Amino acid sequence: MEVENKQIIFKGYIEGPPKETDMEFKVGKKIKLEAPKGSGAFLVKNLYLSCDPYMRGRMRDFHGSYIPPFTPGSVIEGFGVSKVLDSDNPKFKPGDLVSGLTGWEEYSLIYRTEQLRLIEPNDIPLSYYLGLLGMPGFTAYAGFYEVCAPRKGDYIFVSAASGAVGQLVGQLGKLHGCYVVGSAGSSKKVDLLKTKLGFDEAFNYKEEKDLDAALKRYFPEGIDIYFDNVGGDMLDAALLNMRIHGRIAVCGMVSQHSTSNPQGTQNLFSLITKRITMKGFLQSDYLHLYPRFLEDVISLYKQGKIVYIEDMNEGLESAPAAFVGLFAGNNVGKQVIRVAAL
Amino acid sequence: MEVENKQIIFKGYIEGPPKETDMEFKVGKKIKLEAPKGSGAFLVKNLYLSCDPYMRGRMRDFHGSYIPPFTPGSVIEGFGVSKVLDSDNPKFKPGDLVSGLTGWEEYSLIYRTEQLRLIEPNDIPLSYYLGLLGMPGFTAYAGFYEVCAPRKGDYIFVSAASGAVGQLVGQLGKLHGCYVVGSAGSSKKVDLLKTKLGFDEAFNYKEEKDLDAALKRYFPEGIDIYFDNVGGDMLDAALLNMRIHGRIAVCGMVSQHSTSNPQGTQNLFSLITKRITMKGFLQSDYLHLYPRFLEDVISLYKQGKIVYIEDMNEGLESAPAAFVGLFAGNNVGKQVIRVAAL
């Protein structure tokens, strides 16, 4: 049986923030819903796709990063939750639900099967495997516990705090007995941080003329941990407000600094005077902790101790606009695309 | 008995690099060569004084740093090696040799006696207690072993490599089985690095139009450890050449960035893609290691396994020019002033 396969194609390498016209929605070649014999591959129906800022880094022709660039003219690759329809691989069978790297299309034939994991059946929303239980959630977990070295009572600042990573960092901070303040880019997000996500305080950075003054207002004693999802001016302001032996986890700067002429960070001398440790990290260096993460976070979620906010768009066609919207802060919570029903 | 006491006075807070006219040489009030009864103080004759870049930080009116500013109109404070002439303190007796914070003057009455240490008699040059065995040497030792986390075979880059700190970092790196390259600002210094200090390679950064290209030439496989004594353009170039999980020890940036409008560092996105740890530090956080440091380094020196280069100026009057010269790179090795004979 052959079916149509709608796809989002990456058109070519870009400068600056991504635009919808950098991607093309089209109906691809008809595809047989089967995995070729002897291939070791499996064929999936994609249910949910993830829009993540790191994907901007794959839209430039630079091979020196931790993940290769997209191939112009090919389907965009990203994290997804999918259902196996046919399999030539003994580890996956029809009906299995999987999460991991797939294509921005209705059906994908997966050859790099090691890039997906089976989802154990439970009563957690499937799309959470792209956020709370996926790469962003694991980034928050590994970054918080392994990079930030938190202690009870620490003063924690999280930027892009309502985003896919930040919202979990803040909640883990509260559960750890810390004081947590987040910044975000709209009053709606600030409200969510304070009312739904349990942050002690939150502010809209777009309404602050002086970020240094804003941080001094919320952290009169200074910041022990800055979980940096943005870089730029906010990093500079945080550097001025760190406490002695503070830690800065550098997480999302890639998204801001994917331009060829990044803004300079001026206040690095604070690293010395405050003896700060600033560490960049990728969740993929901590995969040995993934089983513990899954167990911990599923348990916390089931106990009602953490929540997770998603921004769900409907239909594959909506993916380019949703992705572009990340860079304008249009999303409220983790940006996900629903491609098909289970 | 009262004697004249020549002094170097700090005139007032400054902007930009220090100038000789920011300090004044004068003959101070006559001083009695005794420690007042009941004071707990002791009186010293200063033998050697140290010129260190961090002192620039004390010439501005900023109280938020790890050490307070100088007081305008007062004698400059700095590290020295001194001989006790009279003492009202049971821990120090006439004839003792001490190192620690003293005044830029011929004789100092020391009330903050906890800021000096007794020198155990041995056959090492006394002035080395300002360099190899003093704050700069200990900075190199603590920074190398505790901040850089070196492993045998690591590729190490040291900037300001012939300076008071850098020359010991490089030699410790070689003794640890690492490949060590240093940068310095003259061909004379580059020669010393290669011939006397045992660096594998060295280059004159002033002759390199493209620091990134220079580092790629000496580190085709990348840098595991960058011991940063300078900040600025060299830090930006090093960030582009770090290996995965590289470490950057941030040590001397204070001296470069003591201006009110520091240069921005552009390449911090490398922190993420290479998962780099960048850590600022001060030797004063590691004082528990000082006894081990002294034992280790004295032993290595006596075995002839390390050497130390000093730039010795004669006479208290020469101190302002020598200090100013640090910021033009005039010194070759650790800058010391000989004030008096033992």
Side-chain angles (χ1 to χ4, degrees):
Chain A
M1 173 182 157
E2 285 200 334
V3 297
E4 275 186 351
N5 191 20
K6 293 174 187 156
Q7 302 179 311
I8 309 288
I9 304 296
F10 173 61
K11 286 164 74 176
Y13 298 117
I14 66 172
E15 289 282 323
K19 304 180 298 298
E20 287 187 57
T21 51
D22 298 328
M23 295 159 274
E24 184 183 4
F25 175 78
K26 73 166 196 182
V27 179
K29 279 191 299 188
K30 288 207 170 183
I31 182 173
K32 279 190 182 170
L33 295 182
E34 58 184 50
K37 293 282 175 275
S39 66
F42 58 84
L43 187 123
V44 298
K45 179 182 183 183
N46 293 312
L47 306 176
Y48 296 98
L49 294 174
S50 183
C51 295
D52 295 299
Y54 83 89
M55 297 168 76
R56 166 63 184 82
R58 305 190 68 180
M59 293 184 163
R60 57 180 189 147
D61 192 14
F62 174 66
H63 294 258
S65 191
Y66 60 95
I67 190 165
F70 291 138
T71 306
S74 296
V75 172
I76 286 177
E77 185 182 62
F79 289 105
V81 167
S82 315
K83 183 180 176 182
V84 177
L85 299 185
D86 188 39
S87 175
D88 186 55
N89 187 304
K91 292 181 186 160
F92 299 88
K93 61 179 191 302
D96 281 349
L97 294 168
V98 294
S99 68
L101 283 175
T102 185
W104 278 25
E105 56 191 343
E106 292 180 286
Y107 302 96
S108 296
L109 187 57
I110 307 283
Y111 284 95
R112 300 177 66 181
T113 59
E114 74 283 1
Q115 295 189 330
L116 294 97
R117 294 184 182 98
L118 282 170
I119 295 176
E120 304 287 338
N122 61 41
D123 55 359
I124 292 180
L126 271 182
S127 58
Y128 278 21
Y129 283 87
L130 301 180
L132 180 65
L133 302 176
M135 180 275 289
F138 187 51
T139 298
Y141 185 90
F144 182 66
Y145 291 114
E146 300 297 309
V147 180
C148 294
R151 295 162 309 192
K152 191 177 170 182
D154 273 351
Y155 298 102
I156 301 184
F157 175 52
V158 186
S159 54
S162 68
V165 176
Q167 57 177 304
L168 184 56
V169 173
Q171 292 180 88
L172 294 176
K174 286 307 300 171
L175 290 168
H176 206 76
C178 302
Y179 173 81
V180 182
V181 178
S183 65
S186 75
S187 57
K188 180 178 180 185
K189 294 177 186 179
V190 167
D191 281 349
L192 284 171
L193 288 169
K194 291 200 278 194
T195 59
K196 188 155 182 200
L197 294 166
F199 282 57
D200 292 291
E201 293 285 353
F203 65 93
N204 180 350
Y205 72 90
K206 291 179 179 168
E207 289 178 351
E208 301 289 344
K209 282 188 184 143
D210 182 341
L211 294 175
D212 177 31
L215 290 176
K216 283 187 168 49
R217 199 164 71 233
Y218 291 105
F219 296 98
E221 313 257 355
I223 300 167
D224 292 297
I225 292 173
Y226 173 39
F227 197 103
D228 179 22
N229 290 306
V230 299
D233 291 337
M234 192 64 95
L235 174 58
D236 254 332
L239 280 163
L240 294 179
N241 287 280
M242 297 301 291
R243 301 180 88 187
I244 285 170
H245 297 139
R247 287 84 70 198
I248 300 178
V250 184
C251 181
M253 201 187 289
V254 154
S255 62
Q256 272 244 336
H257 287 206
S258 53
T259 62
S260 49
N261 192 19
Q263 181 185 344
T265 300
Q266 295 213 310
N267 297 328
L268 289 181
F269 62 83
S270 290
L271 294 180
I272 300 175
T273 55
K274 306 292 182 62
R275 292 89 100 188
I276 296 164
T277 301
M278 188 168 169
K279 187 168 166 54
F281 74 103
L282 294 174
Q283 50 88 28
S284 49
D285 284 338
Y286 299 91
L287 291 179
H288 58 287
L289 300 176
Y290 187 81
R292 197 181 84 192
F293 153 72
L294 215 53
E295 191 179 329
D296 283 359
V297 174
I298 287 176
S299 165
L300 288 168
Y301 177 75
K302 289 189 172 175
Q303 294 173 64
K305 291 186 177 169
I306 51 175
V307 297
Y308 199 68
I309 298 172
E310 286 184 325
D311 197 328
M312 181 78 73
N313 282 35
E314 294 292 334
L316 183 65
E317 301 90 323
S318 71
F323 175 67
V324 167
L326 290 177
F327 299 88
N330 294 347
N331 58 308
V332 178
K334 169 70 188 121
Q335 182 67 60
V336 180
I337 309 297
R338 190 189 338 250
V339 180
L342 182 55
Chain B
M1 172 184 157
E2 286 199 335
V3 297
E4 274 187 352
N5 191 19
K6 293 173 187 157
Q7 302 179 311
I8 309 288
I9 304 296
F10 172 62
K11 287 164 73 175
Y13 298 117
I14 65 172
E15 290 280 324
K19 304 180 299 298
E20 286 188 57
T21 51
D22 300 327
M23 294 159 273
E24 184 184 3
F25 174 80
K26 74 167 196 181
V27 180
K29 280 192 299 189
K30 287 208 170 183
I31 182 173
K32 279 190 184 171
L33 294 183
E34 59 185 49
K37 292 281 175 276
S39 66
F42 59 84
L43 187 123
V44 298
K45 179 182 183 184
N46 293 312
L47 307 176
Y48 296 98
L49 294 173
S50 183
C51 295
D52 294 299
Y54 83 90
M55 298 168 76
R56 167 62 184 82
R58 304 190 69 180
M59 293 184 164
R60 58 181 188 146
D61 191 15
F62 173 67
H63 293 258
S65 191
Y66 59 96
I67 189 164
F70 291 138
T71 306
S74 295
V75 172
I76 286 177
E77 184 182 62
F79 290 105
V81 167
S82 315
K83 183 180 175 181
V84 178
L85 298 185
D86 188 38
S87 175
D88 186 55
N89 187 305
K91 292 181 186 161
F92 299 87
K93 62 178 193 302
D96 281 348
L97 295 168
V98 294
S99 68
L101 283 175
T102 185
W104 278 25
E105 57 191 344
E106 291 180 286
Y107 302 96
S108 297
L109 187 56
I110 307 284
Y111 285 95
R112 301 176 66 181
T113 58
E114 73 284 0
Q115 295 188 330
L116 293 97
R117 294 185 183 97
L118 282 170
I119 295 175
E120 303 286 337
N122 61 41
D123 55 359
I124 292 181
L126 272 181
S127 57
Y128 279 20
Y129 283 86
L130 301 180
L132 180 64
L133 302 176
M135 180 274 288
F138 187 51
T139 298
Y141 184 90
F144 182 67
Y145 291 114
E146 299 297 310
V147 180
C148 295
R151 296 162 309 194
K152 190 177 171 182
D154 274 351
Y155 298 102
I156 302 183
F157 175 51
V158 185
S159 54
S162 68
V165 176
Q167 57 177 304
L168 183 55
V169 172
Q171 292 179 88
L172 293 176
K174 286 307 300 172
L175 289 168
H176 206 76
C178 302
Y179 174 80
V180 182
V181 177
S183 66
S186 75
S187 56
K188 181 178 179 184
K189 294 177 186 178
V190 167
D191 281 349
L192 283 171
L193 288 169
K194 292 200 278 193
T195 59
K196 189 155 182 199
L197 294 165
F199 282 57
D200 292 291
E201 292 285 352
F203 65 93
N204 180 351
Y205 72 90
K206 292 179 180 170
E207 289 179 351
E208 301 288 343
K209 282 189 183 142
D210 181 342
L211 294 176
D212 176 32
L215 290 176
K216 283 187 168 50
R217 199 164 70 232
Y218 291 106
F219 295 98
E221 314 256 354
I223 300 168
D224 292 296
I225 292 172
Y226 173 38
F227 197 103
D228 179 22
N229 289 307
V230 299
D233 291 336
M234 193 64 95
L235 173 58
D236 254 333
L239 280 163
L240 294 178
N241 287 280
M242 297 302 290
R243 301 181 87 185
I244 286 171
H245 298 138
R247 287 85 71 199
I248 301 178
V250 184
C251 182
M253 202 188 289
V254 155
S255 62
Q256 271 244 334
H257 286 208
S258 54
T259 62
S260 49
N261 190 21
Q263 180 185 346
T265 299
Q266 297 214 308
N267 297 329
L268 289 181
F269 61 84
S270 291
L271 293 181
I272 301 175
T273 55
K274 306 293 182 61
R275 293 89 99 190
I276 296 164
T277 301
M278 189 167 168
K279 187 167 166 54
F281 73 103
L282 293 174
Q283 50 87 28
S284 50
D285 284 338
Y286 300 91
L287 291 178
H288 58 286
L289 300 177
Y290 187 82
R292 197 180 82 191
F293 153 73
L294 215 53
E295 191 179 329
D296 282 359
V297 174
I298 287 175
S299 165
L300 288 168
Y301 177 76
K302 287 190 172 176
Q303 294 173 63
K305 291 186 177 170
I306 51 176
V307 297
Y308 200 67
I309 298 172
E310 287 183 324
D311 197 328
M312 181 78 74
N313 283 34
E314 294 292 334
L316 183 64
E317 301 90 323
S318 71
F323 175 66
V324 167
L326 290 177
F327 299 88
N330 294 346
N331 58 307
V332 178
K334 169 71 188 118
Q335 182 66 59
V336 180
I337 309 297
R338 189 189 338 249
V339 180
L342 182 57

